[in-house]
C-alpha cells in the first residue's frame, strides 16, 4: 500500500467521523507516503484516535512531514501514534520532542522502539519533550532498543525534576494494580529492556 493507493485510502478516511483506529503496519510506506498521510489525512481529520505505522520506512523526512501536519490540526483527537521500526535516526528527535512537549496536546502515547535514535536522540526526546510537556500528562513513551546508554538516559529521567514524583521499577502486579486506577496512571518509559515508570 503506497503512492496513489494510500492517497485514495486517506481521502476516504479523512472526512469520516466514525473511524477511530487506522493500522498501516508493515505496508512498505516511504518518506513520500508520510507526507501523503500528513496532507491528505492528519491535517484535517477530527475523529482518528490511534494511528499505527509500525514496520515501515518513513524515515526522518516522512515523520517530519507527518508531524508538521498533525501539529497544525487544532481539532485532532489523535492520542496514540506507533512509529516503531521506521528507520528514524537521531535527526528525527527534535521534531518528536516538540510533538511530545505540547505541539500535539492530544498525543499521550508514542511508540518509538527500534528506530536507531541513539543516546543523543533519546535524551533529546526526554529532556526537550517529556520534561517540557504542557497539557495532559503523557501516559506511554516506548523507547526500547534505540542503542541508548542506560546511565545517560537514567540521568535524563531523573532530571525531569519536579515534574516527576517518582522513578521506580515496579513488579508486573504493581503496574497492573496502578493501571486499574486511571487517576494514578503512571507515565511508562520503556528503555533498553527495563521499564522505568514515572508518575507525572
Amino acid at each position: 500500500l503506497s503512492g496513489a493507493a494510500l492517497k485514495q485510502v486517506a481521502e476516504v478516511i479523512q472526512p469520516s467521523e466514525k473511524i477511530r483506529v487506522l493500522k498501516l503496519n508493515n505496508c512498505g510506506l516511504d518518506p513520500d507516503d508520510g507526507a501523503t498521510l500528513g496532507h491528505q489525512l492528519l491535517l484535517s481529520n477530527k475523529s482518528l484516535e490511534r494511528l499505527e505505522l509500525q514496520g515501515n520506512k518513513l524515515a526522518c523526512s516522512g515523520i517530519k512531514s507527518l508531524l508538521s501536519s498533525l501539529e497544525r490540526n487544532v481539532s485532532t483527537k489523535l492520542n496514540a501514534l506507533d512509529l516503531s521500526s521506521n528507520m528514524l535516526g537521531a535527526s528525527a528527535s527534535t521534531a518528536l520532542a516538540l510533538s511530545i512537549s505540547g505541539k500535539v496536546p492530544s498525543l499521550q502515547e508514542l511508540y518509538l522502539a527500534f528506530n536507531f535514535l541513539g543516546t543523543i536522540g533519546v535524551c533529546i526526546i526526554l529532556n526537550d519533550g517529556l520534561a517540557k510537556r504542557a497539557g495532559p500528562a503523557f501516559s506511554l513513551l516506548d523507547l526500547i532498543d534505540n542503542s541508548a546508554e542506560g546511565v545517560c538516559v537514567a540521568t535524563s529521567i531523573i532530571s525531569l525534576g519536579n515534574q516527576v514524583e517518582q522513578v521506580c521499577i515496579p513488579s508486573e502486579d504493581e503496574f497492573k494494580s496502578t493501571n486499574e486506577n486511571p487517576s494514578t496512571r503512571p507515565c511508562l518509559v520503556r528503555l533498553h529492556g527495563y521499564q522505568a515508570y514515572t508518575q507525572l
Side-chain angles (χ1 to χ4, degrees):
L1 180 66
S2 188
L6 178 64
K7 185 176 181 180
Q8 290 180 338
V9 170
E11 288 175 346
V12 170
I13 295 175
Q14 186 278 323
S16 172
E17 297 181 358
K18 295 182 178 180
I19 297 176
R20 301 284 184 264
V21 178
L22 177 59
K23 297 183 179 183
L24 295 173
N25 299 320
N26 303 300
C27 285
L29 305 182
D30 61 24
D32 289 338
D33 295 322
T36 297
L37 279 173
H39 296 312
Q40 299 293 329
L41 177 62
L42 298 180
L43 188 60
S44 55
N45 180 272
K46 300 178 182 179
S47 66
L48 201 62
E49 296 176 0
R50 184 180 188 88
L51 177 58
E52 297 184 10
L53 298 170
Q54 179 181 352
N56 289 293
K57 299 178 180 179
L58 295 175
C60 178
S61 59
I63 292 304
K64 284 184 176 180
S65 296
L66 188 150
L67 292 177
S68 177
S69 295
L70 188 59
E71 290 167 6
R72 285 183 283 164
N73 183 354
V74 296
S75 300
T76 184
K77 293 181 180 178
L78 193 75
N79 59 56
L81 179 59
D82 189 346
L83 300 175
S84 302
S85 301
N86 263 286
M87 305 170 62
L88 302 186
S91 55
S93 298
T94 299
L96 292 164
L98 286 173
S99 294
I100 293 171
S101 68
K103 287 271 189 174
V104 185
S106 61
L107 188 62
Q108 295 184 349
E109 295 183 15
L110 182 58
Y111 301 80
L112 298 171
F114 305 100
N115 270 306
F116 309 102
L117 297 174
T119 301
I120 293 176
V122 168
C123 288
I124 286 174
I125 289 170
L126 291 174
N127 295 331
D128 296 339
L130 193 58
K132 297 180 180 179
R133 173 78 174 173
F138 218 71
S139 61
L140 193 152
L141 176 59
D142 185 344
L143 294 165
I144 282 179
D145 285 336
N146 274 289
S147 302
E149 295 179 14
V151 173
C152 295
V153 171
T155 300
S156 293
I157 293 175
I158 293 172
S159 72
L160 296 179
N162 59 11
Q163 293 197 42
V164 176
E165 291 180 10
Q166 186 177 16
V167 177
C168 61
I169 305 177
S171 67
E172 185 71 13
D173 290 339
E174 286 175 322
F175 181 57
K176 288 179 179 178
S177 175
T178 302
N179 269 346
E180 290 173 1
N181 184 354
S183 65
T184 60
R185 185 179 181 183
C187 176
L188 164 58
V189 181
R190 293 177 177 168
L191 298 162
H192 237 13
Y194 65 86
Q195 299 177 334
Y197 300 80
T198 62
Q199 183 67 52
L200 300 183

